[in-house]
Every structure is written in C-alpha cells, then in structure tokens.
Amino acid sequence: MSATTTETNGEILVVGFMDSKILDSQRIEQVGRELQDAVPQAMHKKLLLNFRGVSFMSSAMITKLVMLNKTCKAQGVALKFCEVSPNVLEVFKITKLNKLFDIQTTEEKALSSFEKKGWFG
C-alpha cells in the first residue's frame, strides 16, 4: 500500500500523505522513498507537498523532509509545502525549518506561488 498520493496540477506535481500520524519507522522509510521517487517525476521542476490531514510526524520524518529538500535543490526542483497543521508547523518553527521550507497556507496559494517570479527571473 502506498504511503503517498501523487497528482499533477498543471505543471506542478502535488504529493499528499495517506497517514494522519507518520510515526512508524517502516512507514517513514516508505514515505521517504516515495518522496525521493517523486522528484524525477516533477517534469516541470515544481513539487508541492500537501500535508492535509497530517496531524503529527516524528523527528525521523522531518529528517526525510530535509533530505528531500537537498535532493530538490541538487536537481533544480522548486519544493513547497501547504496545508501544514498547527502541530506540525510548530515543530518546523521550533527547529527553524520554517525558514528552510517554503510553507503556504492553502494548496491554491501554493500553486499560484510557483508562478511568481523572484528578483532575477
């Protein structure tokens, strides 16, 4: 059974999670593998993780997200998160990962934020 869902929204690959609590080490390994496998599937170099329904995740899962971020940077894939629950967002803030990750409130905002150009492009 898959731990994540994937769908394409325009040019953006949207990945969702099947579990509300991501705690079990085997499940975390599976989620980590599926997230890494999603990076090359992001044909237009845009990857969105939708955390809808995820209320808790272990520190091991957060490590997987940091590794995913490194993979995306290395392959030139823009990575954004959306619909992060208050509990999970608090963990990101405590660990200062809210500065590392681009976290948007809703999927709509996240999707449209991919279209916004930065200073140099």
Side-chain angles (χ1 to χ4, degrees), residues 70-120:
K70 285 183 179 167
T71 301
C72 286
K73 279 207 182 340
Q75 297 187 23
V77 173
L79 174 65
K80 296 179 189 272
F81 295 176
C82 70
E83 299 196 30
V84 177
S85 74
N87 291 349
V88 174
L89 189 58
E90 191 60 31
V91 173
F92 287 159
K93 286 179 179 172
I94 290 167
T95 57
K96 302 266 191 283
L97 289 173
N98 60 320
K99 306 262 190 278
L100 176 68
F101 301 134
D102 184 340
I103 303 171
Q104 304 290 324
T105 50
T106 66
E107 186 170 312
E108 292 75 35
K109 282 186 180 172
L111 292 169
S112 65
S113 74
F114 278 104
E115 303 310 314
K116 293 192 174 88
K117 296 290 186 204
W119 288 96
F120 301 107

Side-chain angles (χ1 to χ4, degrees), residues 2-47:
S2 183
T4 60
T5 61
T6 57
E7 65 177 36
T8 304
N9 187 321
E11 295 186 339
I12 301 159
L13 183 66
V14 181
V15 177
F17 298 90
M18 301 298 283
D19 304 316
S20 62
K21 292 181 169 69
I22 307 173
L23 303 170
D24 176 66
S25 61
Q26 287 179 317
R27 195 66 169 168
I28 290 166
E29 286 303 314
Q30 183 180 1
V31 170
R33 269 194 312 276
E34 290 179 20
L35 291 176
Q36 291 292 334
D37 291 346
V39 176
Q41 293 174 32
M43 303 302 279
H44 297 280
K45 305 286 187 193
K46 297 172 185 174
L47 180 59

